[in-house]
Amino acid sequence: MIIILKPDISEEQLEHLVAHVESAGLQTHLSRGTFRTIVGVIGDETAISSDRLRSFTGVQDVVPVLPPYKLASLQAHPQPSVVDVNGIRIGGGHLGMIAGPCAVEEEERMDAIAAAIKQSGANLLRGGAYKPRSSPYSFQGLGEEGLKILRRVGDRHQLPVVTEITDPRNLDKVLQYTDMLQVGARNMQNFVLLSEVGNTTTPVLLKRGMSATINDLLMSAEYILSKGNPNVVLCERGIKGFDTLTRNLFDVAAVPLIRTLSHLPVIVDPSHATGRPELIPACAMAGLAAGADGVHIEVHNCPEQAMSDGPQALLPEQYDVLAGQLAQLATLLGKNISSKSTPSGEGS
Ligand code: PEP
Ligand code: MN
């Protein structure tokens, strides 16, 4: 890191600062300019707190050279990571096509949706059994019964499953049934939950909080990675905007931006990002074109009866058209969509 000093720093204050840095086992390199003097710090930056350095008298600013998300950073791992979700790869040229209803409802309905999305080329089935709802009076999910339905339906259609974990107390239960844990936008900074999922090896779909910066998202990923779970997939799902015509503001630039900062796979969720079925195809295509490693789309065969997020659900026939277009785009981009029934992983 680089410490920028105030012009009026005294020699005594400078010596005090340098002694502090060196006592942490780091080396210093002083560079005296005409107007400013800077101190280059050489060694493991994590050995010293930049906030503490900022509080020294005579220090103007501290500029870290390495990002604070050490394990999530591209420097730590220059090659793109590939996350394997029970045989379905996401990242490094492999696309995760996650689809399914917002919430797990009756088994028959889940079965019909799973059959349809599988036929269209989806390779992962989603469905929430624990729903984080804004109102305590809204449907909260079927709980363990929902997990059982999701597992049975996923197995029947050879689709690995993704479901949300909202509470660390449910982790052991959810792990019995799922192939991938979703940490939702509202829990992106639930650090206890992040640490707990980090103590497992189950892949985690980490959704960006609606007011979270990319830095915040990568720091949350760091929580999971630092506990030892390397299987993290990031998800851009829209952030709060001022326009009320869409549910959120789809930040498509987040995808190529994350690419410059991190090796972790990143997918897009145009369903929650827009909240409007008619906008989902364009945003899904844009996300893939921007370099996303997959798309996450809510599909329901009877949106007016959906227990949650019905207004943003695509009908299976709409998803089918979109999935066909996404597959064509994937070919153009030289990416592939693997599925459990085509283990070679080629084509969709
Ligand atoms: C969901 O996937 O249904 C969901 C609640 O997503 P988010 O956390 O992005 O709002
Ligand atoms: Mn939803």
Side-chain angles (χ1 to χ4, degrees):
M1 65 178 74
I2 295 160
I3 307 171
I4 302 166
L5 306 177
K6 289 184 179 160
D8 60 353
I9 188 170
S10 70
E11 279 306 312
E12 206 180 2
Q13 288 163 343
L14 178 57
E15 274 169 32
H16 178 54
L17 175 71
V18 166
H20 172 75
V21 173
E22 293 182 349
S23 72
L26 300 163
Q27 291 178 323
T28 54
H29 180 269
L30 206 63
S31 172
R32 289 185 194 270
T34 319
F35 302 107
R36 279 291 153 88
T37 298
I38 61 170
V39 181
V41 178
I42 303 144
D44 180 7
E45 282 189 6
T46 56
I48 202 155
S49 151
S50 53
D51 273 350
R52 178 158 307 172
L53 291 175
R54 272 190 200 98
S55 65
F56 274 67
T57 315
V59 170
Q60 175 88 47
D61 200 7
V62 178
V63 184
V65 173
L66 292 176
Y69 41 86
K70 210 173 161 188
L71 300 170
S73 75
L74 206 53
Q75 285 96 329
H77 193 295
Q79 295 307 313
S81 283
V82 180
V83 173
D84 189 311
V85 185
N86 192 4
I88 300 297
R89 284 164 292 171
I90 307 178
H94 307 282
L95 301 182
M97 305 296 279
I98 305 176
C102 182
V104 179
E105 299 164 5
E106 315 91 73
E107 184 152 354
E108 217 176 298
R109 167 153 286 152
M110 197 70 199
D111 206 69
I113 296 170
I117 59 146
K118 170 88 180 187
Q119 179 72 26
S120 299
N123 54 13
L124 292 157
L125 176 67
R126 66 146 284 145
Y130 296 94
K131 295 303 305 173
R133 304 306 298 276
S134 301
S135 165
Y137 309 114
S138 300
F139 175 63
Q140 303 286 313
L142 296 179
E144 190 166 10
E145 189 46 38
L147 295 173
K148 288 181 180 168
I149 293 173
L150 183 67
R151 183 75 266 168
R152 281 197 295 268
V153 173
D155 286 346
R156 212 173 288 139
H157 297 277
Q158 288 186 290
L159 286 167
V161 299
V162 187
T163 199
E164 183 161 353
I165 176 84
T166 55
D167 184 335
R169 290 171 296 186
N170 292 332
L171 186 57
D172 289 341
K173 195 163 35 184
V174 176
L175 284 172
Q176 287 174 41
Y177 300 100
T178 199
D179 299 300
M180 184 176 219
L181 295 161
Q182 175 175 318
V183 173
R186 291 156 192 80
N187 273 310
M188 192 207 79
Q189 287 188 315
N190 180 337
F191 301 117
V192 175
L193 185 62
L194 296 174
S195 297
E196 290 297 325
V197 301
N199 283 328
T200 77
T201 52
T202 299
V204 179
L205 179 63
L206 178 63
K207 298 186 95 179
R208 181 181 180 184
M210 46 201 101
S211 302
T213 63
I214 298 299
N215 208 57
D216 294 334
L217 175 63
L218 291 170
M219 287 308 289
S220 290
E222 190 77 6
Y223 260 90
I224 302 171
L225 300 173
S226 67
K227 290 289 172 184
N229 187 348
N231 303 307
V232 178
V233 175
L234 306 173
C235 180
E236 162 54 39
R237 49 77 71 205
I239 50 176
K240 286 277 181 215
F242 53 78
D243 200 324
T244 52
L245 292 179
T246 55
R247 184 172 178 183
N248 287 295
L249 181 67
F250 180 41
D251 181 10
V252 72
V255 176
L257 177 57
I258 289 169
R259 281 267 176 279
T260 68
L261 302 171
S262 176
H263 55 92
L264 296 173
V266 52
I267 70 165
V268 292
D269 170 357
S271 299
H272 293 88
T274 66
R276 293 178 60 160
E278 70 274 33
L279 306 183
I280 292 170
C283 291
M285 297 287 276
L288 218 55
D293 298 297
V295 293
H296 175 282
I297 292 175
E298 289 189 346
V299 179
H300 200 283
N301 58 4
C302 191
E304 70 265 27
Q305 285 176 12
M307 302 298 283
S308 64
D309 283 352
Q312 72 190 29
L314 286 191
L315 291 165
E317 49 271 34
Q318 293 172 318
Y319 180 73
D320 188 57
V321 173
L322 174 57
Q325 292 168 344
L326 291 170
Q328 281 184 14
L329 181 56
T331 307
L332 210 65
L333 296 166
K335 301 201 170 168
N336 80 78
I337 304 167
S338 61
S339 75
K340 290 289 269 183
S341 46
T342 53
S344 66
E346 297 311 314
S348 57

